[in-house]
């Protein structure tokens, strides 16, 4: 990933928050020089600087046979930035750009097919997302008709070995530009735009505190 120093994020707490809110990921593997891509929800866990992801594929998915090196991409909020929002738009000849937060996680995939492991990942995913929508469905492992459906999936663990976090939030602009861009984004009728504004303001607060 192209990662200018100004946009490189090193705080793993920022990764935690990104993974908490944007856990529907892109998982990429390569076999015979051709990429295979899946889009799927992931379970995220971090212990210090050790990060592990879990999930599952449908068994017919070719990626279910791709243990080994992989890349998981967590795509956070993103928003178009108009040059008209910069106070110095004329003197600095500003042009349009895009602000966003994204994580590239490189590591190793390990697959598993044991019934207890598959039941656990399905139940953990269900609890996470049922809670989000205020519902309470659970994977009842004691029900044979549900256990049979586990034969249709393959589970994986993804041990992250290298992380690239890019939070492109106008850090290369004067403070007046950043403040006005954040205000303009906050006024937009898009959740992503307001989320980008919140990330920008969080970093501006840290900058002021550091000064």
């Amino acid at each position: 990933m192209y990662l200018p120093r100004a946009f490189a994020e090193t705080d793993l707490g920022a990764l935690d928050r990104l993974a908490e809110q944007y856990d529907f990921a892109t998982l990429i593997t390569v076999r015979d020089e051709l990429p295979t891509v899946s889009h799927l929800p992931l379970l995220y866990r971090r212990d210090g600087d050790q990060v592990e992801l879990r999930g599952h594929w449908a068994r017919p998915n070719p990626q279910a046979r791709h243990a080994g090196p992989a890349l998981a991409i967590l795509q956070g909020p993103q928003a178009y930035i108009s040059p008209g929002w910069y106070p110095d738009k004329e003197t600095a000849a500003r042009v349009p750009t895009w602000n966003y937060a994204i994580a590239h996680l490189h590591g190793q995939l390990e697959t598993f097919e044991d019934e207890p492991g598959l039941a656990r990942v399905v139940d953990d995913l269900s609890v996470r997302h049922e809670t989000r929508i205020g519902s309470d469905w659970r994977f009842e492992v004691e029900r044979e008709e549900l256990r049979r459906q586990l034969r249709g999936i393959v589970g994986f663990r993804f041990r992250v070995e290298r992380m690239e976090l890019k939070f492109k939030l106008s850090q290369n602009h004067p403070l007046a530009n950043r403040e006005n861009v954040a205000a303009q984004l906050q006024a937009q009728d898009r959740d992503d735009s307001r989320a980008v504004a919140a990330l920008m303001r969080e970093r501006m607060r840290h900058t002021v505190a550091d000064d």
Side-chain angles (χ1 to χ4, degrees), residues 15 21 60 71 73 76 109 114 150 181 183:
L15 174 62
Q21 298 178 59
L71 166 65
I73 299 176
L109 279 173
D114 63 288
L150 296 175
V181 167

Side-chain angles (χ1 to χ4, degrees), residues 98-210:
W98 217 271
N99 278 7
Y100 55 89
I102 197 165
H104 284 196
L105 307 178
H106 304 259
Q108 298 288 325
L109 279 173
E110 303 171 359
T111 63
F112 60 88
E113 302 183 46
D114 63 288
E115 186 176 279
L118 293 173
R120 189 174 307 112
V121 75
V122 170
D123 190 51
D124 288 348
L125 280 166
S126 300
V127 168
R128 176 172 176 76
H129 295 287
E130 288 284 317
T131 300
R132 281 179 168 177
I133 64 171
S135 190
D136 59 359
W137 185 89
R138 293 292 300 267
F139 182 83
E140 300 173 64
V141 68
E142 67 277 5
R143 291 179 56 183
E144 173 61 25
E145 64 271 28
L146 290 180
R147 288 203 310 275
R148 282 199 303 269
Q149 295 191 48
L150 296 175
R151 301 168 193 166
I153 64 174
V154 174
F156 65 83
R157 297 179 191 88
F158 181 50
R159 304 188 190 281
V160 177
E161 298 174 339
R162 181 166 61 90
M163 294 172 271
E164 297 176 297
L165 309 182
K166 185 174 183 178
F167 283 56
K168 183 177 178 294
L169 301 167
S170 303
Q171 298 97 318
N172 56 335
H173 278 262
L175 182 59
N177 283 3
R178 285 179 278 158
E179 288 176 336
N180 199 53
V181 167
Q184 293 288 344
L185 289 173
Q186 184 61 44
Q188 303 297 305
D189 189 24
R190 293 182 65 248
D191 289 343
D192 264 16
S193 296
R194 292 191 291 268
V196 170
L199 289 174
M200 292 182 68
R201 285 174 168 155
E202 176 185 310
R203 276 149 187 77
M204 284 189 282
R205 285 195 297 271
H206 291 165
T207 299
V208 172
D210 291 342

